[in-house]
């Protein structure tokens, strides 16, 4: 069963039971992504890592590696 078919079935059942229809697929995608980003930032802070700029820092380390000292 496809996502659209499942949504139509759920909407039909809700209408028959007098309940509000479920949100259409894709309605809250951006909200979910923002919440996921916020949750990852929170977990990083709790773990003691920087909350932002981790990708930029990783790219900087990869593109500009430190030279090893010969001391």
């Amino acid at each position: 069963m496809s996502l659209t078919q499942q949504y139509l079935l759920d909407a039909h059942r809700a209408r028959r039971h007098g309940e509000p229809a479920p949100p259409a697929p894709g309605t809250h995608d951006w909200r979910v992504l923002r919440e996921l980003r916020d949750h990852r930032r929170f977990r990083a802070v709790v773990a003691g890592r920087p909350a932002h700029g981790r990708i930029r820092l990783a790219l900087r380390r990869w593109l500009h590696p430190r030279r090893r000292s010969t001391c």
Side-chain angles (χ1 to χ4, degrees):
M1 181 178 291
S2 73
L3 184 65
T4 305
Q5 291 171 337
Q6 182 65 45
Y7 169 72
L8 292 173
L9 180 62
D10 291 341
H12 176 71
R13 286 180 183 162
R15 193 174 332 123
R16 288 187 67 192
H17 293 289
E19 300 171 355
T27 303
H28 301 292
D29 288 352
W30 289 112
R31 182 177 177 187
V32 169
L33 290 175
R34 278 193 296 272
E35 289 180 7
L36 178 63
R37 180 196 63 203
D38 292 345
H39 180 71
R40 290 187 60 159
R41 286 181 177 175
F42 171 75
R43 298 290 295 176
V45 169
V46 170
R49 298 187 309 265
H52 56 77
R54 292 185 300 171
I55 293 175
R56 202 175 291 161
L57 181 62
L59 284 173
R60 187 180 332 142
R61 279 184 296 198
W62 183 64
L63 293 173
H64 305 290
R66 292 184 191 179
R67 298 180 193 266
R68 292 184 179 178
S69 63
T70 56
C71 296

